[in-house]
Amino acid sequence: MATPTQPLPLQDRVAIVTGSSRGIGREIALHLASLGARLVLNYTSNSNLADSVAAEINANSSSGAPRAISIRADVSDSVQVKSLFDSAERAFDSPVHIMVNSAGVLDGTYPFVADTSVESFDRTFAVNARGAFLCAREAANRVKRGGGGRIVLLTTSVAASLKQGYGTYAAWKAAVEAMTKILAKELKGSGITANCVAPGPVATDMFFEGKTEEMVNMAVEECPLGRLGEAKDIAPVVGFLVSDAAEWINGQVIRVNGGYV
């Protein structure tokens, strides 16, 4: 007698992952898909990369129906963030269950606060703070209520290590962490949880941008495990937080950094 197949942890739940064309966001999207989720892959500029992630997910679909779509949206624009959720609901004829905001930018010149230009300040604020706020606000109003609703915002362990050259980047991410803790309280009664995942140094294009070999080696030396993180170290933590098993984790900042801080 055949044993019934157990449903996957995120079977048919709709997940939006911003900044998912590459790096940590890409790995998160692939991981959530492996857990059964249907994915909306958000990107800002490179449609080819986002489309390739969608194609990889859809190639593994046993039903033949698309399980991933890519949608261009600038997360710092409220109209485009709303449109992103609208597109997700239309594409899968379902409310959004999960929103993971992984979009982020970094000034690769690593200026001290005294040397930070207004242009750099505004650019990092637009994506890292305003973008996170807009995504969180839309999710708070649109993510499915009554159980299984999940909001995860990616921040950074630099908000705790407070390294020189990361003044505005760490400041905006720290602001997002405070906002998320309050949001979790404000969502009382909805069944929606809100948490942050704060990676340490992870070997992505954004991490390597502008860094010398000495700077990279220093990051490795500062980690007790003696290596840089990889995107695959972060994705399973997000996968757990958006599952039913993590219902009791709410309003928390999970630092995933190998002991870096």
Side-chain angles (χ1 to χ4, degrees):
M1 183 175 178
T3 302
T5 303
Q6 289 280 62
L8 293 169
L10 303 179
Q11 189 68 50
D12 292 333
R13 298 184 189 182
V14 175
I16 294 174
V17 182
T18 69
S20 51
S21 64
R22 62 193 183 118
I24 294 173
R26 177 184 185 277
E27 194 66 31
I28 290 170
L30 292 172
H31 183 68
L32 298 190
S34 75
L35 299 178
R38 295 177 289 177
L39 269 296
V40 176
L41 309 166
N42 161 250
Y43 68 97
T44 302
S45 58
N46 196 322
S47 61
N48 290 334
L49 286 177
D51 289 345
S52 71
V53 181
E56 183 174 345
I57 293 171
N58 289 328
N60 293 321
S61 173
S62 57
S63 67
R67 299 193 61 81
I69 60 170
S70 58
I71 301 290
R72 184 186 183 281
D74 179 351
V75 298
S76 68
D77 184 310
S78 62
V79 173
Q80 294 187 45
V81 171
K82 180 181 183 301
S83 179
L84 177 63
F85 276 76
D86 291 342
S87 298
E89 292 173 353
R90 284 196 302 268
F92 295 113
D93 191 25
S94 167
V96 174
H97 301 79
I98 298 161
M99 194 287 294
V100 179
N101 183 51
S102 181
V105 294
L106 174 68
D107 185 337
T109 65
Y110 307 100
F112 282 17
V113 171
D115 303 318
T116 299
S117 68
V118 172
E119 291 76 18
S120 173
F121 176 96
D122 287 345
R123 176 173 175 262
T124 55
F125 170 82
V127 177
N128 297 339
R130 177 184 170 90
F133 157 69
L134 291 174
C135 288
R137 184 181 69 171
E138 198 69 22
N141 286 292
R142 303 279 290 271
V143 164
K144 182 182 180 298
R145 284 167 142 68
R150 301 286 185 264
I151 298 171
V152 175
L153 305 177
L154 265 70
T155 57
T156 175
S157 286
V158 179
S161 66
L162 304 175
K163 291 184 70 65
Q164 296 179 141
Y166 290 84
T168 57
Y169 179 73
W172 302 141
K173 295 292 191 177
V176 171
E177 292 180 359
M179 178 186 70
T180 303
K181 292 177 180 181
I182 294 171
L183 176 62
K185 298 178 187 294
E186 294 175 345
L187 288 169
K188 180 180 179 179
S190 70
I192 300 170
T193 65
N195 293 288
C196 290
V197 170
V202 177
T204 63
D205 291 343
M206 190 171 83
F207 170 78
F208 288 117
E209 181 183 353
K211 283 188 173 66
T212 64
E213 184 177 356
E214 181 182 6
M215 293 167 72
V216 173
N217 290 339
M218 185 178 299
V220 172
E221 179 63 29
E222 289 173 339
C223 178
L225 297 183
R227 67 172 175 87
L228 293 177
E230 298 179 19
K232 67 181 182 181
D233 295 318
I234 313 302
V237 179
V238 176
F240 171 67
L241 285 176
V242 301
S243 72
D244 290 342
E247 182 180 20
W248 205 237
I249 302 176
N250 194 19
Q252 303 302 310
V253 177
I254 312 298
R255 304 213 182 276
V256 189
N257 54 42
Y260 167 76
V261 62

